């Protein structure tokens, strides 16, 4: 069986380092591994509209930002198909049929959607499209017959929902859809990177992000103002490493060679953590080190972005070509789905013959 990747992002803002460690960096590695037959990367504008119906301009403006972030991180349009969700109408059709396979109470149990509803103060007035976006995500994944979906931890409930839809569809209509596997980052700290404010998740909607396209100065300012252990007031105080975002970021980004390069008094992160926990190590010193580490990762991305920014029409062309290719694949799946459901009446010679006979007799 072919190995196919599908993943993507909502164009609700520029991409941040949470996206990078949670999914983007891994995607580039998978793309370059040569182990996958197809890689589809989707800019999920239709999904972004489910909670931005009154602000389509935000979505429209951010499509190019996300595409620039993709390319500057190393997604390569020769190896990966970059597509825009709304340009593939087959996805809506698939969602419509999948809706019949899911109950309202099942959707209500989705913990990610639950917390997103709370975050957006939607409790009293949830848009139906937002409430049902896990179904539309199942359409995205199955349309491309994805076997592997590399995402951050918050997407686990969506993958569960997709698997249930696939099983239900196949059990009613016969083996048609492919059950996907989720691929989470192997590094624990990357599963759900916290915000610079210490909140549980760095998220565009929470305004607590370090963006891939932030200037070196902005990144430094954000890091130097980051939330740390609130009880670590004096340098001599013992500090807490667990749940401290500065150390979580170091877990996510730092490698041993960074110590040789920027902080040779310590051999590795364990030694730095031990000193912080004992007391006698100030936040400023740790933050300066984190800044060096993150700048080293972001600098080449920023440079490549500047290059891509010089020819924006070429990027829209990449997205157009990718969307066209993706539509061909989705159309083929939709046609298989419709024939499995036996709603392909005009191609069904047997049906027409049976009906003709019935009315003759
Ligand atoms: P929004 O607030 O609009 O939902 P978001 O920041 O949550 O935006 P998405 O586009 O919903 O971003 O997520 C895209 C991908 O990035 C998903 O695979 C998601 O799991 C991953 N991701 C998002 N935020 C983080 C994070 N803080 N840590 C790790 N992975 C993340
Ligand atoms: Mg999200």
């Amino acid at each position: 069986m072919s190995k196919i990747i599908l993943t993507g992002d909502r164009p609700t803002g520029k991409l941040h380092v949470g996206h990078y460690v949670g999914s983007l960096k891994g995607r580039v590695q998978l793309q370059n591994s040569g182990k996958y037959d197809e890689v589809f990367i989707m800019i999920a504008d239709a999904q972004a509209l489910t909670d931005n119906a009154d602000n389509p301009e935000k979505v429209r403006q951010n499509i190019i930002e996300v595409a620039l972030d993709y390319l500057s991180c190393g997604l390569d349009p020769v190896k990966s198909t970059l597509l825009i969700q709304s340009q593939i109408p087959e996805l809506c059709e698939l969602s419509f049929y999948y809706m019949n396979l899911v109950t309202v109470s099942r959707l209500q149990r989705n913990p990610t959607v639950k917390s997103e509803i709370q975050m957006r103060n939607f409790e009293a007035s949830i848009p139906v499209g937002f409430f049902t976006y896990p179904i539309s995500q199942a359409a995205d994944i199955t349309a491309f017959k994805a076997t592997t979906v590399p995402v951050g931890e918050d997407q686990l409930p969506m993958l569960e929902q997709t698997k249930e839809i696939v099983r239900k569809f196949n059990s009613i209509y016969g083996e048609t859809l492919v059950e996907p596997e989720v691929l989470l980052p192997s590094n624990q700290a990357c599963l759900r990177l916290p915000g610079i404010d210490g909140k549980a998740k760095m998220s565009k909607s929470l305004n607590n992000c370090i963006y891939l396209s932030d200037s070196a100065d902005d990144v430094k300012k954000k890091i130097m103002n980051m939330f740390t252990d609130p009880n670590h007031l004096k340098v001599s105080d013992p500090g807490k490493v667990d749940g401290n975002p500065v150390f979580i970021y170091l877990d996510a980004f730092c490698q041993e060679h960074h110590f040789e390069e920027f902080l040779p008094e310590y051999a590795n992160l364990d030694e730095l953590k031990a000193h912080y926990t004992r007391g006698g190590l100030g936040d400023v010193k740790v933050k300066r080190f984190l800044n060096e580490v993150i700048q080293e990762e972001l600098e080449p991305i920023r440079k490549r972005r500047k290059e891509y920014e010089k020819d924006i029409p070429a990027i829209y062309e990449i997205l157009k070509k990718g969307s066209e290719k993706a539509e061909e694949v989705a159309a083929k799946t939709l046609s298989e789905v419709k024939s499995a459901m036996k709603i392909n009446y005009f191609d069904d010679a047997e049906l027409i013959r049976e009906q003709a006979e019935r009315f003759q007799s």
Side-chain angles (χ1 to χ4, degrees):
M1 193 172 73
S2 309
K3 289 177 77 176
I4 299 171
I5 288 178
L6 177 281
T7 185
D9 307 271
R10 295 152 38 95
T12 48
K14 297 173 172 191
L15 298 184
H16 52 65
V17 295
H19 298 121
Y20 183 68
V21 295
S23 172
L24 203 44
K25 196 174 175 180
R27 283 180 214 173
V28 175
Q29 284 162 357
L30 295 172
Q31 166 201 267
N32 294 335
S33 72
K35 290 189 184 146
Y36 291 86
D37 300 286
E38 296 281 356
V39 180
F40 293 98
I41 310 287
M42 185 173 86
I43 301 182
D45 62 334
Q47 190 188 116
L49 285 167
T50 64
D51 58 333
N52 287 288
D54 54 352
N55 197 359
E57 193 55 24
K58 172 166 137 189
V59 175
R60 196 166 106 98
Q61 294 297 334
N62 279 304
I63 287 175
I64 192 73
E65 297 286 358
V66 172
L68 281 165
D69 286 330
Y70 282 172
L71 295 165
S72 18
C73 285
L75 285 176
D76 174 355
V78 174
K79 298 178 182 161
S80 295
T81 306
L82 308 184
L83 62 125
I84 303 182
Q85 187 185 24
S86 64
Q87 304 308 296
I88 326 288
E90 287 79 1
L91 300 176
C92 297
E93 239 181 293
L94 285 172
S95 301
F96 195 68
Y97 298 127
Y98 296 171
M99 281 189 187
N100 305 328
L101 308 176
V102 180
T103 62
V104 171
S105 64
R106 174 66 185 85
L107 287 173
Q108 278 167 336
R109 286 203 305 274
N110 184 313
T112 299
V113 177
K114 256 193 204 164
S115 73
E116 288 175 339
I117 285 171
Q118 243 180 6
M119 233 170 73
R120 288 162 175 75
N121 293 321
F122 271 167
E123 280 95 341
S125 54
I126 312 168
V128 174
F130 186 79
F131 182 61
T132 56
Y133 90 74
I135 303 177
S136 113
Q137 234 170 281
D140 304 334
I141 295 169
T142 54
F144 302 105
K145 303 226 162 113
T147 50
T148 312
V149 185
V151 282
E153 186 189 44
D154 63 314
Q155 294 300 307
L156 280 176
M158 312 306 158
L159 265 290
E160 258 329 292
Q161 181 71 80
T162 300
K163 287 182 186 192
E164 283 175 33
I165 289 175
V166 168
R167 284 186 214 126
K168 190 140 194 202
F169 188 99
N170 288 348
S171 78
I172 301 174
Y173 305 114
E175 284 297 314
T176 312
L177 302 175
V178 176
E179 215 177 296
E181 284 306 323
V182 69
L183 191 63
L184 294 174
S186 51
N187 180 339
Q188 191 70 20
C190 302
L191 287 174
R192 188 180 298 235
L193 201 73
I196 49 174
D197 56 358
K199 289 216 174 95
K201 182 173 174 276
M202 181 178 287
S203 169
K204 288 169 261 174
S205 312
L206 294 176
N207 210 4
N208 60 3
C209 308
I210 295 175
Y211 293 99
L212 294 172
S213 49
D214 276 346
S215 69
D217 271 359
D218 283 345
V219 171
K220 185 164 185 198
K221 266 188 220 135
K222 288 182 181 180
I223 292 176
M224 297 316 285
N225 287 324
M226 254 177 92
F227 181 88
T228 58
D229 173 5
N231 298 316
H232 186 243
L233 298 173
K234 291 200 296 287
V235 172
S236 54
D237 289 340
K240 251 181 71 181
V241 167
D242 286 342
N244 181 334
V246 174
F247 281 95
I248 299 177
Y249 286 21
L250 283 174
D251 278 328
F253 284 96
C254 158
Q255 290 156 25
E256 254 173 54
H257 75 85
H258 289 127
F259 283 93
E260 271 167 53
E261 226 175 312
F262 305 122
L263 202 59
E265 312 133 67
Y266 301 90
N268 54 40
L269 193 50
D270 287 340
E271 280 189 13
L272 190 75
K273 284 181 176 173
H275 192 180
Y276 191 83
T277 311
R278 261 195 330 269
L281 174 58
D283 283 315
V284 170
K285 188 164 179 178
V286 185
K287 284 178 171 177
R288 282 205 184 117
F289 175 57
L290 175 64
N291 178 56
E292 298 287 1
V293 170
I294 292 203
Q295 298 286 2
E296 190 182 89
E297 189 93 24
L298 296 189
E299 186 51 25
I301 298 175
R302 275 196 291 259
K303 271 210 185 112
R304 279 197 294 267
R305 200 181 212 271
K306 285 273 163 293
E307 285 305 305
Y308 283 114
E309 283 172 357
K310 290 181 186 157
D311 193 356
I312 294 296
I315 296 177
Y316 279 102
E317 197 51 39
I318 289 172
L319 296 173
K320 182 168 178 233
K321 290 241 166 65
S323 301
E324 283 165 2
K325 175 177 167 187
E327 191 182 4
E328 279 175 29
V329 178
K332 186 161 172 283
T333 305
L334 178 63
S335 150
E336 288 164 16
V337 160
K338 288 169 97 170
S339 68
M341 293 172 72
K342 294 195 179 291
I343 54 171
N344 58 338
Y345 314 112
F346 308 133
D347 301 331
D348 192 343
E350 199 185 337
L351 168 79
I352 297 171
R353 190 172 38 74
E354 264 172 29
Q355 297 299 332
E357 274 169 20
R358 187 159 76 85
F359 283 91
Q360 238 74 131
S361 52

